[in-house]
Amino acid sequence: MTQSFDPAVVEALESAAGHVLPLEDSEWPEIRELVVQHARDLAGIERCIGLTMLFVLGCDPVDSGFVSQFTSLSTLQVNDSGLTCLESMNDLPLIQCNLNRNLITDLTPLLDLHDLTSLDIIGNPLTAESYEEVLPELRSRGMYITWSERSDWELTVRLQEAGLPFICYRNQNVLRLGSPGFHHVKVPDAGHSAVTENELREALDEDPQRVYQLFERGEGLWSPG
């Protein structure tokens, strides 16, 4: 059974269990924390029904439905991945949620997460409703939220509307280009080039294909924290 697992999932399970696969039936529910990086198939982790902390880094595809069965999950981190939708997360007891640098547009499912106290949502092409209405509503509940500045969010939306596989975000006051999932890159959480707002706007105004050149100049040189 383990032979069909993505190598990245196998590595994550072996690290969590402290030994090589296969796992005994009794071991799967005992895994509480799992870190999966660069997986193209998350099959297998659904057996870890006792998870309280799940970290999915630079993976694709990622569907929010895969976490809905982890009824004890309090911390979820999905970064630089192909996550687009947050449906099926309504009943999770999430307290902390980091969804930076994905392709999420709709945040309304988060309104049902009444235990959520911390949300990171930088670098996503959110709809105007999610950015201007849902985020302020969540914040009014006392939730601590880290989100993109308006100019960065608007540029990310423009990148997606132009059909480009990029998002932009700010790290330590430096604007960077990322490419969530495996649509354009082999390692989604690395090689994020630094750009200026002016040159990105000029490229989008004059020739959106120039954004590829802006991204490629930083390939393999930097990895986000």
Side-chain angles (χ1 to χ4, degrees):
M1 183 174 181
T2 59
Q3 292 180 349
S4 63
F5 292 173
D6 186 291
V9 171
V10 172
E11 181 179 356
L13 290 171
E14 290 180 344
S15 176
H19 63 79
V20 299
L21 298 186
L23 300 181
E24 298 292 337
D25 289 343
S26 61
E27 291 182 276
W28 292 92
E30 296 302 316
I31 294 177
R32 297 288 185 261
E33 179 178 339
L34 197 63
V35 182
V36 187
Q37 188 170 21
H38 304 157
R40 294 175 180 268
D41 186 346
L42 294 172
I45 71 171
E46 72 279 356
R47 297 188 63 185
C48 303
I49 58 174
L51 282 178
T52 60
M53 304 177 72
L54 176 61
F55 303 86
V56 178
L57 312 175
C59 298
D60 189 25
V62 179
D63 185 335
S64 63
F66 85 102
V67 302
S68 62
Q69 58 203 312
F70 302 131
T71 56
S72 299
L73 196 67
S74 61
T75 298
L76 174 65
Q77 180 173 340
V78 182
N79 293 163
D80 302 290
S81 300
L83 183 61
T84 61
C85 176
L86 301 181
E87 293 181 1
S88 305
M89 293 173 56
N90 316 46
D91 297 326
L92 292 178
L94 285 174
I95 297 174
Q96 296 180 319
C97 196
N98 184 326
L99 304 173
N100 289 343
R101 303 180 299 273
N102 286 283
L103 299 172
I104 299 164
T105 57
D106 183 14
L107 295 182
T108 53
L110 297 184
L111 294 171
D112 294 328
L113 298 181
H114 299 291
D115 294 326
L116 193 64
T117 61
S118 175
L119 172 67
D120 290 337
I121 196 67
I122 288 174
N124 283 273
L126 304 176
T127 63
E129 179 185 3
S130 286
Y131 189 86
E132 297 173 347
E133 299 179 22
V134 177
L135 283 175
E137 167 64 22
L138 292 172
R139 194 174 185 182
S140 71
R141 300 177 180 181
M143 188 181 302
Y144 179 82
I145 305 177
T146 304
W147 58 27
S148 295
E149 298 177 9
R150 175 170 286 272
S151 60
D152 300 346
W153 163 64
E154 291 175 342
L155 284 169
T156 290
V157 171
R158 287 192 63 188
L159 288 165
Q160 291 296 303
E161 289 177 343
L164 300 171
F166 304 113
I167 54 89
C168 73
Y169 64 99
R170 204 166 294 270
N171 180 273
Q172 298 180 347
N173 294 321
V174 176
L175 188 65
R176 295 191 179 272
L177 279 172
S179 185
F182 294 119
H183 178 68
H184 181 62
V185 294
K186 294 181 179 179
V187 184
D189 52 352
H192 295 184
S193 62
V195 296
T196 67
E197 186 173 332
N198 285 341
E199 64 185 351
L200 185 53
R201 288 189 184 278
E202 288 178 3
L204 286 167
D205 289 340
E206 299 171 6
D207 180 8
Q209 294 302 305
R210 282 171 43 194
V211 178
Y212 284 94
Q213 297 175 1
L214 296 177
F215 180 76
E216 289 168 0
R217 71 188 184 188
E219 189 173 357
L221 298 180
W222 186 83
S223 179

